[in-house]
Amino acid sequence: MIDPRLSSALADRYRLEREIGAGRMGTVYLAEDLRHRRTVTVKVLHPALSATLEHERFLREITTTAGLRHPNILPVYESGESAGFLFYVTPLVEGERLRDRLTRVGPLPLDEALRFADDIANALSYAHGHGVMHRDITPENIFIERGHAMMADVGIAQAVDSAGDDTRTVAGTGVGMAVGAPTYMSPEQ
């Protein structure tokens, strides 16, 4: 059941159809983009998380990541805040999560695993070159579409100030709050 307050808050742009996923940070809905007449996904941060973070900081960091253009990074179409709900919009991936593929078929053939690893390494290199660190590379955040891997949830990323400021902030977090799955975190985290 979709929260009627959420449906109402987004009704001028998106018609939420159904929930298609949920994780630590939020819930993902299949939706129709009413302006562009296309199917999209709308990720809405959990209300408890939205209440504890600075909305302007979240929107600023999503804006940074929305500027990333790479074939192995799921693009962000839009982000915003409406009636207290923080959200961002991405295209619907016509594929499956790496976690689902691993569950369905088991270990990947070596050539396929290497191709996916190369896709993700290229995407990470591109993002890092633009001052963004993903921080949550898990099989749940990697999609397989048309034989290639694509990173999702780059919006839940660490944006590094392009002027060289070493102050690091993370969309959706407070100071000292860990982001990401501990078993997949980099040593720096």
Side-chain angles (χ1 to χ4, degrees):
M1 171 100 177
I2 299 171
D3 183 336
R5 296 172 299 152
L6 174 61
S7 290
S8 177
L10 299 177
D12 63 326
R13 288 291 314 274
Y14 301 101
R15 184 174 56 79
L16 302 180
E17 295 180 7
R18 63 183 165 86
E19 181 180 321
I20 58 173
R24 293 178 309 276
M25 301 293 280
T27 304
V28 182
Y29 299 92
L30 179 67
E32 179 185 356
D33 178 341
L34 300 173
R35 180 179 295 167
H36 299 107
R37 295 186 181 118
R38 62 185 171 187
T39 301
V40 297
T41 62
V42 176
K43 184 162 190 169
V44 180
L45 296 188
H46 291 307
L49 183 59
S50 292
T52 63
L53 62 88
E54 299 171 33
H55 293 189
E56 289 178 18
R57 186 173 87 180
F58 169 78
L59 296 174
R60 183 175 61 247
E61 293 183 9
I62 285 288
T63 298
T64 299
T65 59
L68 299 177
R69 292 184 46 175
H70 190 277
N72 302 109
I73 296 176
L74 186 65
V76 174
Y77 285 158
E78 179 185 15
S79 62
E81 183 273 331
S82 184
F85 294 100
L86 289 175
F87 68 94
Y88 62 96
V89 181
T90 65
L92 177 65
V93 175
E94 296 175 6
E96 66 182 327
R97 291 181 189 271
L98 178 57
R99 170 66 69 210
D100 297 335
R101 166 123 0 135
L102 292 170
T103 299
R104 186 172 49 80
V105 301
L108 301 174
L110 182 60
D111 63 328
E112 188 174 56
L114 290 173
R115 185 174 66 250
F116 295 162
D118 187 56
D119 289 344
I120 296 306
N122 285 326
L124 287 170
S125 177
Y126 176 85
H128 292 178
H130 286 80
V132 177
M133 289 198 291
H134 188 286
R135 295 186 66 136
D136 199 22
I137 302 295
T138 67
E140 288 76 18
N141 287 333
I142 296 173
F143 284 88
I144 308 304
E145 184 176 58
R146 292 187 285 277
H148 292 280
M150 180 182 299
M151 288 191 322
D153 282 351
V154 178
I156 303 172
Q158 180 173 13
V160 179
D161 187 287
S162 60
D165 180 357
D166 198 36
T167 302
R168 289 174 164 72
T169 57
V170 179
T173 65
V175 175
M177 188 177 190
V179 173
T183 54
Y184 290 94
M185 283 182 174
S186 65
E188 300 84 40
Q189 293 175 257

